[in-house]
DNA sequence: CTGTTAGCGCGTTCAG
DNA sequence: CTGAACGCGCTAACAG
């Protein structure tokens, strides 16, 4: 009797025991499959990111898992490798699985599956990046502020030739960070030099090549900003290879703070995302729209919130101070 | 008509088109829930590890995902934080979800839920660590060989006082690596010194404390082996704090090879797991036992294979050579 | 407080 | 080649 398991009815202790005993004897476990078919809830949410192996996304997944596991919700993870086709494929998979909701760091393409998800009333919350169209709420780092923060910090240290490296792909994260970079320079009366704004492919090797080219310029930069963790690895190795000393010859700022950055020689200054807060807000929005469906919010506002969380600069020795 | 979607029947192109058109118009998507209820297959596998955020496990998850996504199978991830209760909780969750199979890096406790999974015919494959009882096949690194490899390498370099740091918990990984360590020492005619075998809690801070104590000894070691990545971080910071120079004053070997180890000064020698191969073998065993159920392997052998994959030493400058 | 029943949306089988 | 009926295991609604 399902009532015993779900406490959905008053039952005498006697019958409860009888049921429980029988259940144990037969190794009975209720089937979540059958339950989902009737209740139309799967207690599962999908998390779609670029790459589970990227520590930034791994942190997001861990944060979301921690917020959900006590509610009996499980997480299915999907790595898109920045391929829109893979993103669409996974979203279709999640749709067929009838997950209760999806958190997605979009590749940037405007996929038809977003409409399909909406049609099936599956809440969608975008994390880290903005979708091309407002298909759902967004929770992201304030990338303009983050780019500004890093650049301003270097300017205050007296740097005037500051280079920035980002992904070649048109992601909202990269464009935001670049915008903040330009804004800080302009405010300081420095015209952004296109030769110091480098975009490369996603791999560490590409970042290495880009940074190496940068350092080989006649009027080479005295400071480098890597707009994500993989780029940071490439930049660091390029600086090593160039024979430059950090921070004497060059300053480095990394994005995405990870344990090893503090152990590097010198310890690397980094821009840290409010990862835990991103997870909290995203999950809150997801659960809210989940509840919203039950409540039949008829005249649902067609504009979704965009939550921007400020980034924080972790000051270490790689810029010659602290 | 399900026949159209599954090509399970000969259908005229006309009716096929009619069905497909209607499906598109209504944004129809087949429900994997309902399908699972009848077919008793969910096309979902669970992966239970200690911590998704740990790069070693993140690599495992990524590897498994890559092997499974094209088959239309999805992955639900679970972090136990080394707590048997959490492991049991998650395994029950996966059991209720009727996943097709489970890959688990067990905490080491002998949980009743293993029997429950078997009773429900849900294949179980253990990865990275050995379970207390033979509840399923195991795919792991040859930890004895790995510990031997690292120790022997240091011995060949002339070290005689070699310390090793491991987790306090009784995991098959740690005991194996310790055993290999002892074996190498003994072979070299050196009696293992209990003062050089340190076990600490899982956190980086604990490893830092342990390594610091080690370095403060009167007859301090000249080489340190950290048996996992988190320990390595603690060891490295302890060496830095002690004012020692690596490799002049002390040699370090890390476990779990990650990109940043090569960028450290000096680049860190590390023991690398055959992560991709672990994933391949584990998934192969899982799919095999999955197929086995259909084939009704009546007289199933009650002993499961234990696959041990050799580790590899990545030689870098932190030991004074290469 | 307890027993019975309809139906969730598929795959499968059995008639047509 | 096609339509109709059954059942997977559960929840919810309805009788007793």
């Amino acid at each position: 009797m399902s009532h015993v398991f779900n406490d959905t009815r008053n039952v005498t202790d006697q019958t409860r025991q009888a049921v429980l005993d029988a259940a144990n004897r037969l190794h009975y476990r209720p089937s979540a499959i059958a339950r989902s078919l009737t209740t139309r809830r799967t207690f599962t949410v999908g998390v779609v990111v670029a790459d589970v192996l990227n520590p930034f996304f791994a942190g997001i997944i861990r944060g979301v898992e921690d917020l959900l596991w006590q509610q009996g919700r499980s997480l299915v993870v999907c790595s898109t490798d920045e391929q829109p086709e893979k993103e669409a494929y996974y979203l279709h998979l999640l749709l067929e699985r009838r997950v209760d909701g999806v958190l997605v760091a979009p590749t940037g393409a405007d996929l038809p599956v977003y409409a399909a998800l909406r049609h099936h009333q599956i809440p969608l919350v975008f994390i880290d990046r903005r979708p091309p169209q407002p298909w759902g709420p967004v929770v992201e780092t304030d990338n303009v502020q983050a780019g500004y923060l890093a650049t301003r910090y270097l300017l205050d240290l007296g740097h005037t030739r500051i280079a920035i490296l980002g992904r070649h792909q048109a992601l909202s994260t990269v464009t935001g960070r670049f915008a903040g970079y330009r804004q800080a320079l302009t405010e300081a009366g420095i015209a952004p030099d296109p030769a110091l704004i480098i975009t490369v492919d996603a791999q560490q090797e590409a970042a290495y090549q880009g940074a190496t080219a940068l350092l080989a310029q006649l009027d080479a930069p005295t400071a480098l900003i890597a707009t994500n963790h993989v780029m940071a690895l490439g930049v660091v190795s390029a600086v090593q290879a160039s024979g430059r000393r950090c921070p004497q010859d060059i300053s480095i700022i990394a994005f995405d703070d990870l344990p090893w950055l503090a152990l590097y020689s010198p310890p690397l200054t980094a821009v840290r995302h409010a990862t835990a807060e991103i997870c909290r807000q995203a999950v809150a929005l997801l659960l809210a729209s989940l509840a919203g469906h039950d409540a039949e919010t008829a005249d649902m506002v067609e504009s979704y919130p965009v939550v921007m969380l400020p980034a924080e600069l972790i000051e270490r020795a790689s810029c010659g101070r602290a």
Side-chain angles (χ1 to χ4, degrees), chain A:
Chain A
M1 207 52 113
S2 74
H3 297 292
V4 173
F5 287 91
N6 303 335
D7 268 336
T8 175
R9 208 188 235 189
N10 284 348
V11 178
T12 44
D13 284 351
Q14 186 187 352
T15 43
R16 159 171 288 121
Q17 269 312 319
V19 173
L20 255 38
D21 285 354
N24 274 331
R25 214 155 14 82
L26 305 171
H27 294 271
Y28 169 84
R29 284 281 144 189
S31 159
I33 303 293
R35 181 188 303 134
S36 295
L37 192 58
T38 63
T39 61
R40 300 164 160 290
R41 293 255 97 94
T42 52
F43 276 80
T44 298
V45 328
V47 183
V48 181
V49 297
D51 183 4
V52 180
L53 196 43
N54 180 317
F56 171 71
F57 290 118
I60 294 281
I61 288 173
R62 192 56 163 88
V64 172
E65 188 197 340
D66 284 344
L67 291 168
L68 254 28
W69 77 276
Q70 301 167 352
Q71 310 180 11
R73 298 186 195 269
S74 39
L75 228 63
V76 357
V77 300
C78 313
S79 299
T80 66
D81 289 318
E82 306 287 8
Q83 299 169 23
E85 309 77 29
K86 234 177 138 179
E87 183 189 353
Y89 170 86
Y90 269 127
L91 288 174
H92 274 121
L93 217 67
L94 294 171
L95 170 52
E96 293 205 352
R97 300 265 196 287
R98 300 293 191 269
V99 295
D100 290 343
V102 179
L103 299 175
V104 50
T107 57
D110 200 0
L111 307 171
V113 69
Y114 292 145
L117 284 163
R118 162 179 299 189
H119 184 267
H120 283 262
Q121 313 247 324
I122 296 180
L124 198 54
V125 174
F126 293 92
I127 50 178
D128 184 51
R129 307 150 173 206
R130 228 170 280 196
Q133 301 285 332
W135 288 111
V138 180
V139 182
E140 62 179 359
T141 297
D142 187 339
N143 289 301
V144 177
Q145 176 259 352
Y148 182 90
L149 190 67
T151 313
R152 180 59 188 269
Y153 179 75
L154 291 168
L155 287 168
D156 287 347
L157 251 38
H159 291 278
T160 54
R161 288 195 61 72
I162 303 170
I164 190 166
L165 259 93
R167 307 236 350 230
H168 198 60
Q169 206 178 353
L171 292 176
S172 63
T173 48
V174 181
T175 57
R177 288 164 201 181
F178 278 10
Y181 162 85
R182 287 203 195 81
Q183 185 185 327
L185 286 181
T186 307
E187 275 185 24
I190 299 177
D193 180 352
L196 296 181
I197 305 177
I198 303 286
T199 61
V200 296
D201 284 340
Q203 305 78 20
Q204 179 180 333
E205 175 61 19
Y208 173 84
Q209 302 286 359
T212 299
L214 222 32
L215 296 174
Q217 289 180 12
L218 283 179
D219 194 6
T222 61
L224 288 175
I225 302 175
T227 55
N228 70 50
H229 178 245
V230 176
M231 304 269 139
L233 289 165
V235 164
V236 162
S237 59
V239 167
Q240 283 185 359
S242 80
R244 283 178 173 77
R245 308 262 317 168
C246 174
Q248 297 90 331
D249 307 327
I250 193 157
S251 294
I252 301 176
I253 293 187
F255 264 69
D256 305 349
D257 191 36
L258 299 179
W260 73 269
L261 294 180
L263 297 180
Y264 192 72
S265 313
L268 287 176
T269 294
V271 176
R272 178 186 290 168
H273 301 263
T275 312
E277 191 59 20
I278 291 178
C279 296
R280 234 189 310 279
Q281 300 260 4
V283 168
L285 284 166
L286 197 73
L287 296 179
S289 33
L290 216 154
H293 282 170
D294 299 343
E296 282 294 336
T297 45
D299 50 350
M300 187 165 161
V301 216
E302 267 311 307
S303 75
Y304 296 100
V306 175
V307 181
M308 298 209 309
L309 272 6
E312 182 190 2
L313 188 89
I314 309 300
E315 203 175 337
R316 299 204 188 89
S318 70
C319 297
R321 211 166 71 175

